[in-house]
Amino acid sequence: MSDYQETLYEGYGQRFRVDKMLHEVHTEHQHLVIFENARMGRVMALDGVIQTTEADEFIYHEMLTHVPILAHGLARRVLIIGGGDGGILREVAKHRDVESITMVEIDSTVVELCKEFLPEHSKGAFEDPRLNLVIDDGLRFVATTDQKFDVIISDSTDPIGLGKVLFSENFYQACRRCLNEGGILVTQNGTPFMQLAEVQTTAKRMTGLFPDWHFYQAAVPTYIGGAMTFAWGACDADSRKLSLETLCQRFVGTGIVTRYYNPHLHIGSFALPQYVLQAISKPSNG
Ligand code: SAM
């Protein structure tokens, strides 16, 4: 029985026993591995970094999707950047009021292999008639499209290699340009305990670009090193000041049953630890 050792951090990392190797390939863009682990279910890694596991994916996909869509309240056009495993797409598709979902994923092999080996992630969402799947670089798409969106969700790999451009000033500026009035951008932004510089860089790039920017958190076990942060960039500062009552009404109105997200967590997730607030030069009432 071999092991899979994550290589995201020098000298620190997580190891999975590979109970069954399901697929391994060098795609046009990255090294992809999908294997079975008795405790975490099926696991996918790209270029040595754990991307998603069947056991804990619900936490990340529910928080990166329902927080912005419920905060927006009238999201009809949603853009997903990356997200090749289909987990974000599955959660977005649960919102019946969403009329159009555009997904821009650079690696078609990730989509094909996740459909085959991680079917519970997308759960048929790739067949949703509202979906327009674009195989392209996310930065090129937002920099050149004339389409506008209400919510943009960047579900990318880490800012190394392919994913690096999705953390660039150009990317955030292009996303801002692509947002309708009241629009919201959220992005995967790493674990601040291990990647604080990533959070600081995003904070600097969002300052002056969005009327309201902040971060929110959720602990995802296989994104090691503590809570994962999600960057938040909103065209309307009120999007982050909704009452618990409003969020509860909106959430109940969707009829969506979740395993992690709820309105209390939604509000609480924007409370950040002092060391993160200090790093992004925000007061504790951020
Ligand atoms: N949830 C994971 C995380 O937090 O690390 C990310 C999952 S998803 C598999 C990440 C996706 O981003 C991959 O499918 C990868 O191909 C895609 N990706 C990376 N760089 C990209 C780019 N520049 N444009 C579009 N998609 C990109």
Side-chain angles (χ1 to χ4, degrees), residues 30 51 60 85 105-106 110 137-138 155-157 162 188 223:
Q30 43 208 339
Q51 297 297 307
Y60 173 88
D85 53 69
E105 162 58 55
I106 199 165
V110 174
D137 171 72
D155 175 22
S156 72
T157 45
L162 276 178
Q188 183 274 101
Y223 298 152

Side-chain angles (χ1 to χ4, degrees), residues 48-61:
V49 181
I50 299 297
Q51 297 297 307
T52 191
T53 83
E54 285 182 322
D56 68 0
E57 57 90 1
F58 69 98
I59 300 170
Y60 173 88
H61 293 128

Side-chain angles (χ1 to χ4, degrees), residues 1-9 12-19 35-40 43 45 48 50 53 221-222 224:
M1 204 70 72
S2 66
D3 284 349
Y4 185 87
Q5 178 70 47
E6 184 175 40
T7 57
L8 177 57
Y9 303 114
Y12 167 81
Q14 60 186 331
R15 171 189 59 79
F16 294 79
R17 193 182 61 223
V18 178
D19 294 310
F35 61 87
E36 250 167 37
N37 170 273
R39 177 181 290 273
M40 301 309 285
V43 181
I50 299 297
T53 83
T222 54
I224 57 173

